[in-house]
Amino acid sequence: MKSLGCMQLNEKNHVPFLTFPRLSALPYITHAFSTRKGGVSQQEFSSMNLNFNRGDSDEAVLENYHLFCTAAGFDFHKLVASAQDHHTVVRRVTSKEAGIGIWRSRDMQSVDGLITNEPGVVLVTYYADCVPLYFVDIGKKAIGLAHAGWRGTAAGMGAHMVKAMQTEFGSNPKDIIAAIGPSIGPCCYEVDSPVYEKVMALTEIAPYQCLQPKGEGKYMLDLWEVNRRIIQHAGVPEKNITVGKVCTCCHSNLLFSHRVMGAQRGGMAAMMALNA
Ligand SMILES: [Zn+2]
């Protein structure tokens, strides 16, 4: 088995996918993060594009979902997708929502976080540089997935997820295992003042330690560390938080990166389910 950063690079049926050893050790969940490889899409979507509405054919994206689900161990019929728009709305979903955003149309405008405690339901969120956040409550057996770009990160998406799991499932933050997936890393994520100011407003997490000045009003931002600190501040013990340390920009041969490819690209997905 190969590794990438602190994640495992698996391959089945010629479909590569990334996993966290910490989450793989939990026998009652299945989780994965997709790559660019192993699908049927062409040109800029080549080849494992899991995003609808980017110009790729729906047939190709659906076929990619079938291929990915078979390889990574998910039930295609139980997928429930987010409706991401860089806010912090968290939605609790069940098998009643199965197919939403995949083979059924979306029924909400804004859902950047998904949670469930129903075995079998597969949470699906999308990425191409933004940060995937995985949550597993090992006490109440509940899970969550969230999309956090710089806006969602600065708006405290990680804390909103912990809060939603507390409210919906009675989760104790001390029982939550969190994992921070592939995204643009501190090596490549240069930002300027609007982003800098939003991050610096997170005074409770000593944000200046997550920003490296580059001069001329530019900074290198460590979104992994900002999210790690926000989740810890929400009550999740430091030892329970894993950072994957995989940069999409550095690994754009394997992963889609908005910074590298611009809008002409496909998108990846994070998925997680409680085993049925
Ligand atoms: Zn990088």
Side-chain angles (χ1 to χ4, degrees), residues 184-188 247-250:
I184 191 163
C187 38
C188 298
C247 174
T248 44
C249 199
C250 287

Side-chain angles (χ1 to χ4, degrees), residues 32-34 50-51 65 80-84 102 111-114 122-127 131-134 144-148 161 267-272:
F33 190 85
S34 71
L50 294 175
N51 282 187
Y65 269 104
V80 182
S82 53
Q84 296 166 198
I102 311 285
V111 180
D112 280 69
L114 293 169
V122 185
L123 309 181
V124 185
T125 49
Y126 304 110
Y127 306 88
V131 188
L133 304 175
Y134 293 71
L145 264 186
H147 161 260
M161 287 294 286
M268 300 168 293
M271 295 193 201
M272 185 157 57

Side-chain angles (χ1 to χ4, degrees), residues 38-42 45-52 55-68 76:
V40 299
S41 294
Q42 304 288 314
F45 307 110
S46 179
S47 61
M48 184 56 83
N49 171 36
L50 294 175
N51 282 187
F52 293 99
D56 196 359
S57 81
D58 287 355
E59 292 71 26
V61 180
L62 279 172
E63 177 61 14
N64 288 340
Y65 269 104
H66 279 291
L67 292 168
F68 189 78
F76 171 83

Side-chain angles (χ1 to χ4, degrees), residues 19-99:
T19 52
F20 296 95
R22 185 74 184 273
L23 298 188
S24 298
L26 303 174
Y28 44 86
I29 65 154
T30 301
H31 80 288
F33 190 85
S34 71
T35 73
R36 290 176 63 176
K37 309 228 186 240
V40 299
S41 294
Q42 304 288 314
Q43 282 114 20
E44 69 261 41
F45 307 110
S46 179
S47 61
M48 184 56 83
N49 171 36
L50 294 175
N51 282 187
F52 293 99
N53 307 320
R54 298 201 63 84
D56 196 359
S57 81
D58 287 355
E59 292 71 26
V61 180
L62 279 172
E63 177 61 14
N64 288 340
Y65 269 104
H66 279 291
L67 292 168
F68 189 78
C69 286
T70 302
F74 296 105
D75 181 352
F76 171 83
H77 303 284
K78 293 284 188 69
L79 301 174
V80 182
S82 53
Q84 296 166 198
D85 69 350
H86 298 276
H87 287 86
T88 56
V89 176
V90 179
R91 181 183 197 181
R92 178 179 180 170
V93 295
T94 66
S95 50
K96 285 198 200 84
E97 281 78 32

